Amino acid sequence: MKRQSVQVRWEHYTQRPLLVLAVLFAVAYAVPILDTSASKALTRACAIVEWVVWAAFATDYLVRLGLAERRWEFVRRHWLDLFAVLLPLIQPLRLLRLVSTLMLAGRRARMASQVRLTTYVVGSVAGLLMFGSLAVLSVERDAPDGNIKTLGDAVWWSFTTMTTVGYGDHSPTTGLGRLLAVGLMLSGIALLGVVTANIAAWFISRFEMDDRVERRQTEAIHLLTEEVRMLRAEVASLSSSRTPIPNPATEERA
């Protein structure tokens, strides 16, 4: 129980610093893509920041694993975290570090009780739009037959892909770009399902609340009616059992 409380405190205290590191990773990932004239020193510094942020998330996973009472159960329940930690080691691509950092940041945000579903959905949409645009721009900008050359084109393509509209005016031509398109489409469908389920759950909760209020009112009316009926019966019982008061004048004449 004590080790479990230590684990909970660790997750509580490290949540905000890790989210700040995730934002720092976003900046380090975006700078070399947006600034094509960035120096080698700046590009190298951004790559170092990305690896440092990934190392921080990996260290967090190892610490939580060490504090867990049942480590195999922890690994089984947090297999997605382990996959995100090991993903950049498979092949040293910046895109893999991007995916793993997004997954780890999202997992830590979901574990926080104060993060609501709506906030998570909005943050996921914004993050996917931003990172999807930057990733496809970095992949397609130098492609010979590519038609996504600017950040505006990339954002427009990401938005139409996530909403599964797909106008076709911009589309990836490389294999990695098409893989990004598949990921964005699946993510957009999943987020749309979450939003729809959230709205349906809200309506159901409101209907259930109205039903509970109506049932309480009906029960109150029934109780009040029963009390009135009992009062009437008691008054009638008292009236029937009341003894008549003798009249003195009548007794004298008799």
Side-chain angles (χ1 to χ4, degrees):
M1 188 68 180
K2 183 178 181 180
R3 291 176 64 86
Q4 185 178 3
S5 63
V6 173
Q7 181 183 356
V8 172
R9 288 200 301 269
W10 169 268
E11 293 177 353
H12 175 73
Y13 287 124
T14 58
Q15 175 193 335
R16 290 185 180 180
L18 288 177
L19 292 179
V20 172
L21 287 177
V23 174
L24 184 62
F25 175 90
V27 175
Y29 180 82
V31 167
I33 298 176
L34 298 178
D35 187 7
T36 55
S37 61
S39 62
K40 292 183 178 180
L42 180 59
T43 304
R44 189 180 302 110
C46 291
I48 293 174
V49 170
E50 293 175 10
W51 279 110
V52 168
V53 172
W54 169 82
F57 277 101
T59 303
D60 171 71
Y61 177 83
L62 293 177
V63 171
R64 288 190 292 139
L65 177 62
L67 295 176
E69 294 182 355
R70 301 178 179 178
R71 296 180 180 178
W72 282 113
E73 183 178 355
F74 179 86
V75 173
R76 183 177 57 84
R77 293 178 57 185
H78 299 82
W79 64 268
L80 191 59
D81 294 11
L82 179 61
F83 176 75
V85 168
L86 298 178
L87 184 60
L89 299 179
I90 300 174
Q91 187 177 359
L93 293 178
R94 298 175 68 245
L95 183 59
L96 294 181
R97 295 200 298 275
L98 163 66
V99 174
S100 65
T101 305
L102 283 177
M103 292 171 61
L104 289 171
R107 295 285 293 177
R108 288 307 304 269
R110 282 198 299 271
M111 284 190 295
S113 59
Q114 67 271 22
V115 178
R116 297 180 181 179
L117 180 61
T118 304
T119 304
Y120 174 72
V121 170
V122 172
S124 300
V125 170
L128 285 173
L129 279 175
M130 180 181 66
F131 285 109
S133 302
L134 293 173
V136 77
L137 180 61
S138 65
V139 171
E140 296 290 328
R141 181 165 49 193
D142 298 329
D145 299 330
N147 54 17
I148 303 176
K149 301 296 184 181
T150 64
L151 181 61
D153 295 339
V155 172
W156 172 250
W157 171 83
S158 297
F159 189 82
T160 56
T161 302
M162 283 189 62
T163 55
T164 65
V165 175
Y167 287 108
D169 50 351
H170 296 287
S171 59
T173 57
T174 62
L176 190 55
R178 290 170 179 172
L179 184 61
L180 285 171
V182 173
L184 281 179
M185 283 186 287
L186 294 177
S187 302
I189 294 172
L191 288 175
L192 181 61
V194 170
V195 172
T196 304
N198 192 23
I199 294 175
W202 182 80
F203 276 108
I204 291 174
S205 64
R206 290 302 303 266
F207 291 150
E208 290 179 350
M209 185 183 301
D210 294 339
D211 290 340
R212 286 195 297 269
V213 172
E214 185 176 356
R215 285 196 297 268
R216 285 197 297 267
Q217 291 176 350
T218 303
E219 291 176 359
I221 292 174
H222 286 324
L223 289 175
L224 183 60
T225 304
E226 184 66 20
E227 290 180 359
V228 171
R229 187 186 65 80
M230 293 176 63
L231 286 174
R232 287 180 176 177
E234 187 176 354
V235 170
S237 176
L238 290 175
S239 299
S240 61
S241 62
R242 182 183 299 173
T243 56
I245 300 175
N247 192 347
T250 305
E251 293 179 354
E252 291 179 358
R253 284 196 300 270

